[in-house]
Amino acid sequence: MAELLKGKAVADAMKEELSKKVSDLKAKGFTPRLGIIRVGARPDDLFYEGGAKKTCDSIGMSYEVFESPQDIAQEEFEKVVLEVGANKEINGILMFAPLPKHLNERKIRSLIPVEKDVDCMSLGSAGKVFADDPTGFPPCTPTACMDIIKFYNIPLKGKRAVVLGRSLVVGKPLAMLLMREHATITICHSRTENLESVCAEADILIAAIGKAKMVNAGYVKPGQIVLDVGINEDPDNPGKYCGDVDFASVEPIVEKITPVPGGVGSVTTSVLCKQTIMACELQNGLA
Ligand code: NDP
């Protein structure tokens, strides 16, 4: 039976540390504050927002939600983003994406100041992540994967890591973060040939493809560590969700695996707070 890499233990340890940091910052007169920019009220966004608020509350951090109507015009929304960006009380910004189709998302992303871009929405932040510049915040999900790997003392140096998925929000930045820790990286995607055998060569396999239970016994080998980033509707259990990994067939083979739910997704809001606190420290010359 594989060891379960549970996200809650990682998030709990992180929150304990963050609470102390927030207390110290408050003693110096600073309260880290997250600005949440949301257009409309998509259930997924509201769910994540609820989790982010709860995490902020649990560590004593503050937040403010900037909600715009679904049909907001480009110019008006640009004003909102610029105002939140210029707001001296806000240290970090979470903006839900994708934005409604009528908005020019690329342009709006570029309006988020890099020093407040705690979920890596702008190309400026992505550039810093790719250049290993520690003042650029990677997206929260790949950072959560790295925090899980560190918490469970999984060695990366010289190891073969296969990242399944090449999106800008998970796959690509995750590959950069793994490489920073001296792993040897292979990035796979929908056109990769011999996908199963490439995945099976990994010491660490991370699935971020958005395909329910696609990664089955044919993709893995004994001794592997598997992280499952996927959040998909479970085709076998309506109303429930599942990962990109077919847990039932993979878990008996591999050494360690993150569950879904209860794995990577349980760590992301703590990362969001961690990066907002870091942003607060950097903005005030405390880091
Ligand atoms: P995207 O749809 O943006 O990217 C999916 C990637 O997977 C693409 O690179 C795509 O390849 C690749 N892919 C799709 N199908 C296959 C296939 N059959 N074989 C090989 N590669 C394939 O998804 P995201 O990166 O945004 O999200 C990935 C998953 O992670 C989703 O389940 C999402 O819900 C989840 N997620 C979870 C988060 C969390 O906090 N736990 C946060 C963000 C996302 P190509 O580029 O060739 O099209």
Side-chain angles (χ1 to χ4, degrees):
M1 242 174 73
E3 180 192 344
L4 284 190
L5 305 172
K6 291 189 184 167
K8 187 175 181 301
V10 186
D12 286 349
M14 210 187 289
K15 281 190 264 189
E16 203 181 313
E17 200 181 310
L18 296 179
S19 294
K20 281 193 205 120
K21 278 204 167 187
V22 172
S23 302
D24 289 352
L25 282 167
K26 281 183 173 169
K28 291 177 186 154
F30 305 102
T31 301
R33 191 168 174 83
L34 175 69
I36 301 174
I37 300 177
R38 172 165 48 77
V39 178
R42 273 204 322 243
D44 285 2
D45 295 349
L46 292 174
F47 181 77
Y48 191 75
E49 183 179 304
K53 287 174 175 172
K54 211 169 131 192
T55 307
C56 287
D57 287 336
S58 73
I59 61 168
M61 232 181 83
S62 74
Y63 55 80
E64 187 171 351
V65 178
F66 301 88
E67 180 177 359
S68 298
Q70 181 74 18
D71 60 353
I72 189 166
Q74 174 78 19
E75 215 171 286
E76 248 182 281
F77 189 53
E78 284 181 17
K79 256 192 237 160
V80 172
V81 176
L82 286 169
E83 271 171 29
V84 180
N87 183 330
K88 292 217 164 12
E89 291 196 343
I90 301 286
N91 303 109
I93 295 175
L94 167 70
M95 184 179 79
F96 287 108
L99 294 170
K101 289 254 172 340
H102 69 278
L103 294 172
N104 179 344
E105 183 167 323
R106 182 174 273 252
K107 173 149 192 226
I108 286 163
R109 281 171 175 252
S110 73
L111 303 178
I112 299 176
V114 169
E115 65 275 14
K116 296 188 180 184
D117 191 9
V118 290
D119 200 20
C120 201
M121 298 300 283
S122 69
L123 292 183
S125 298
K128 286 194 174 213
V129 172
F130 278 60
D132 291 338
D133 178 335
T135 63
F137 297 104
C140 293
T141 301
T143 309
C145 292
M146 297 306 290
D147 284 333
I148 290 172
I149 288 169
K150 272 186 211 134
F151 181 84
Y152 289 103
N153 295 314
I154 294 163
L156 286 176
K157 195 171 169 182
K159 300 291 180 191
R160 177 91 187 267
V162 173
V163 178
L164 194 40
R166 59 174 163 181
S167 74
L168 205 51
V169 70
V170 191
K172 279 182 193 161
L174 179 56
M176 295 303 118
L177 298 180
L178 289 161
M179 196 155 52
R180 239 183 237 183
E181 299 301 323
H182 313 295
T184 302
I185 310 300
T186 303
I187 306 179
C188 299
H189 45 76
S190 63
R191 321 291 158 85
T192 301
E193 289 181 1
N194 306 317
L195 189 60
E196 293 192 18
S197 59
V198 175
C199 291
E201 283 167 17
D203 298 309
I204 298 145
L205 173 64
I206 307 186
I209 45 177
K211 297 276 179 264
K213 302 182 185 177
M214 191 185 99
V215 177
N216 58 29
Y219 290 71
V220 297
K221 67 171 181 193
Q224 264 184 338
I225 317 269
V226 177
L227 267 65
D228 188 354
V229 177
I231 302 178
N232 312 291
E233 268 184 48
D234 187 341
D236 307 315
N237 292 297
K240 304 257 183 218
Y241 68 98
C242 69
D244 293 336
V245 175
D246 180 14
F247 188 86
S249 75
V250 167
E251 184 271 341
I253 300 171
V254 300
E255 191 178 312
K256 300 171 198 246
I257 185 168
T258 58
V260 177
V264 177
S266 330
V267 183
T268 48
T269 59
S270 298
V271 171
L272 180 69
C273 291
K274 177 177 77 166
Q275 303 206 136
T276 302
I277 292 166
M278 255 191 253
C280 174
E281 290 172 339
L282 285 166
Q283 287 156 26
N284 292 291
L286 301 167

